[in-house]
């Protein structure tokens, strides 16, 4: 007998997390659990208002499939039963977890993948006044990779301040759709001079065709513009990389397929996340081997994590233990 449960959890953020669209003090997540006998598969997702999602809408979507899952809905069938997004992600990852437990094998063995190795993860610095970002960078200057949230006016000063405070750290930046073409023309070469290695989603999704006409001294990464394989054709000539997030792809199943398709298209890969616990990050560790940039620091931004959390020793995200997932 298969049972399906879904619940909302709120995890306080350590301070305030701010991007161009606003600030948060807690991560509002949904956990799906699929039980069978004494086994339990779990998956975590983060409903994202930018994509029209809420905790209630995701709980309703998961609930709508409870009967089908009880009747044996497969991961393959799930891809057509729900659209890509947070709800499908939670169910998909719970099914993977349950599949590993049924088999008594680690998840990468079930997926016919090599065991993931510890991977350096970025640490994110919220957007704020240049002095505040300088102080945050100073406190994290020993981290090898910093990701800076940006917002438009004053961004060059922000990056300059961080570079001064953390001269040895690699830098990537994320505008979260906040720039204009004029800002792109100004900042692309300037950020290249500061050693920035990647610029994520500078323009709004659907309004980024001009990127194909601009010089790109720094590689550009599509985030909001790329959810699934269906989005790849529109990225040609505009972006050099894509950010794969399981909450966008609708789970590990599509994420693995998207990674293969992106690599075949000559696009670099970044593995990203929303702010969530280690349960949300665990499935994404299966994708880190082929990634140029890994950004799975969500749990590091929380006040506390799950008891069976991932290890982030030596600034690296390590594979999950069986108690956590997979």
């Amino acid at each position: 007998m298969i049972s399906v449960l879904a619940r909302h959890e709120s995890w306080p953020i350590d301070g305030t997390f701010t991007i161009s669209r606003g600030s948060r003090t807690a991560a509002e997540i949904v956990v799906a659990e699929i039980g069978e006998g004494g086994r339990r598969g779990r998956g975590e997702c983060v409903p994202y208002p930018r994509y029209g999602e809420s905790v209630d809408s995701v709980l309703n979507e998961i609930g709508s499939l409870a009967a089908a899952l009880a009747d044996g809905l497969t991961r393959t069938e799930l891809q057509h039963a729900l659209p890509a997004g947070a709800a499908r992600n939670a169910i998909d990852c719970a099914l993977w977890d349950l599949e590993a437990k049924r088999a008594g094998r680690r998840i990468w063995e079930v997926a016919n993948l090599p065991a993931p190795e510890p991977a350096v993860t970025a640490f994110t610095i919220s957007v704020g006044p240049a002095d505040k970002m300088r102080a945050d960078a100073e406190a994290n200057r020993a981290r090898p990779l910093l990701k800076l949230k940006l917002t438009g006016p004053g961004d060059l000063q922000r990056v300059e301040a961080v570079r001064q405070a953390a001269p040895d750290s690699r830098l990537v930046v994320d505008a979260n759709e906040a720039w204009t073409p004029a800002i792109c023309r100004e900042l692309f070469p300037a950020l290249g001079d500061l050693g920035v290695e990647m610029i994520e989603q500078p323009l709004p999704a659907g309004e980024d065709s001009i990127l194909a006409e601009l010089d790109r001294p720094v590689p550009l990464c599509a985030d909001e513009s790329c959810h699934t394989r269906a989005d790849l054709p529109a990225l040609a000539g505009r972006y050099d990389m894509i950010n794969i997030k399981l909450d966008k792809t609708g789970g590990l199943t599509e994420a693995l397929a998207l990674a293969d398709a992106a690599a075949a298209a000559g696009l670099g890969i970044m593995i990203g996340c929303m702010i969530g616990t280690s349960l949300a990050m665990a499935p994404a560790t299966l994708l880190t081997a082929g990634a140029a940039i890994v950004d799975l620091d969500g749990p590091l931004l929380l006040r506390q994590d799950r008891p069976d959390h991932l290890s982030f020793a030596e600034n690296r995200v390590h594979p999950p233990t069986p108690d956590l997932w997979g």
Side-chain angles (χ1 to χ4, degrees):
M1 181 68 177
I2 295 176
S3 62
V4 181
L5 299 174
R7 65 177 180 272
H8 167 223
E9 297 178 355
S10 184
W11 291 78
I13 292 171
D14 186 14
T16 301
F17 184 76
T18 302
I19 66 172
S20 62
R21 281 191 284 271
S23 299
R24 285 177 288 162
T25 57
E28 306 299 335
I29 69 165
V30 171
V31 174
E33 292 187 0
I34 302 176
E36 182 186 54
R39 306 181 186 93
R40 178 185 62 158
R42 298 189 300 168
E44 177 182 321
C45 69
V46 182
Y48 201 39
R50 167 66 178 82
Y51 303 136
E53 298 171 336
S54 67
V55 167
D56 286 343
S57 73
V58 168
L59 288 172
N60 287 336
E61 281 188 281
I62 295 173
S64 73
L65 284 189
L69 288 163
D71 287 338
L73 183 79
T74 66
R75 281 191 295 104
T76 300
E77 294 167 339
L78 173 64
Q79 310 309 305
H80 307 286
L82 283 181
R88 195 176 83 186
N89 176 32
I91 297 173
D92 184 78
C93 291
L95 287 172
W96 274 105
D97 190 25
L98 182 60
E99 188 174 345
K101 288 178 168 61
R102 283 170 175 162
R105 304 163 64 199
R106 292 313 312 270
I107 191 70
W108 42 86
E109 297 172 326
V110 173
N112 294 315
L113 295 171
E117 298 288 336
V120 170
T121 181
F123 182 81
T124 303
I125 294 178
S126 291
V127 67
D131 288 347
K132 174 65 165 58
M133 294 184 72
R134 178 188 289 110
D136 290 343
E138 174 68 28
N140 291 281
R141 64 183 302 163
R143 297 186 185 273
L145 178 59
L146 297 178
K147 176 177 173 177
L148 316 182
K149 292 292 188 177
L150 300 178
T151 190
D155 279 349
L156 181 58
Q157 291 71 34
R158 293 181 175 96
V159 180
E160 288 173 338
V162 168
R163 174 51 77 203
Q164 292 167 5
D168 298 325
S169 299
R170 298 166 55 206
L171 301 183
V172 297
V173 303
D174 183 7
N176 284 115
E177 306 180 282
W179 291 358
T180 64
I183 292 176
C184 290
R185 293 187 181 93
E186 173 191 359
L187 291 190
F188 283 2
L191 294 182
D193 292 341
L194 287 169
V196 170
E197 297 183 13
M198 183 272 289
I199 298 169
E200 188 177 348
Q201 198 67 43
L203 298 176
E207 301 176 26
D208 53 1
S209 60
I210 195 172
L211 293 176
E213 304 171 16
L214 302 181
D215 291 333
R216 300 200 298 269
V218 179
L220 300 185
C221 181
D223 182 4
E224 286 86 349
S225 290
C226 184
H227 292 235
T228 68
R229 286 170 288 174
D231 298 315
L232 290 178
L235 307 182
R238 304 179 189 181
Y239 294 96
D240 309 287
M241 304 175 61
I242 64 166
N243 187 348
I244 299 177
K245 295 179 180 176
L246 273 63
D247 278 313
K248 293 188 303 174
T249 64
L252 180 61
T253 302
E254 173 62 21
L256 291 168
L258 174 58
D260 288 342
L267 290 166
I269 294 170
M270 174 182 183
I271 304 303
C273 66
M274 307 300 187
I275 300 182
T277 77
S278 283
L279 180 58
M281 309 300 126
T285 62
L286 271 67
L287 294 152
T288 58
I293 295 173
V294 174
D295 178 26
L296 296 178
D297 66 338
L300 299 178
L301 305 176
L302 299 176
R303 195 174 300 164
Q304 65 180 28
D305 196 2
R306 298 186 185 277
D308 48 3
H309 59 78
L310 293 170
S311 169
F312 286 90
E314 298 179 340
N315 296 305
R316 286 170 166 78
V317 57
H318 293 244
T321 65
D323 288 339
L324 175 63
W325 184 85

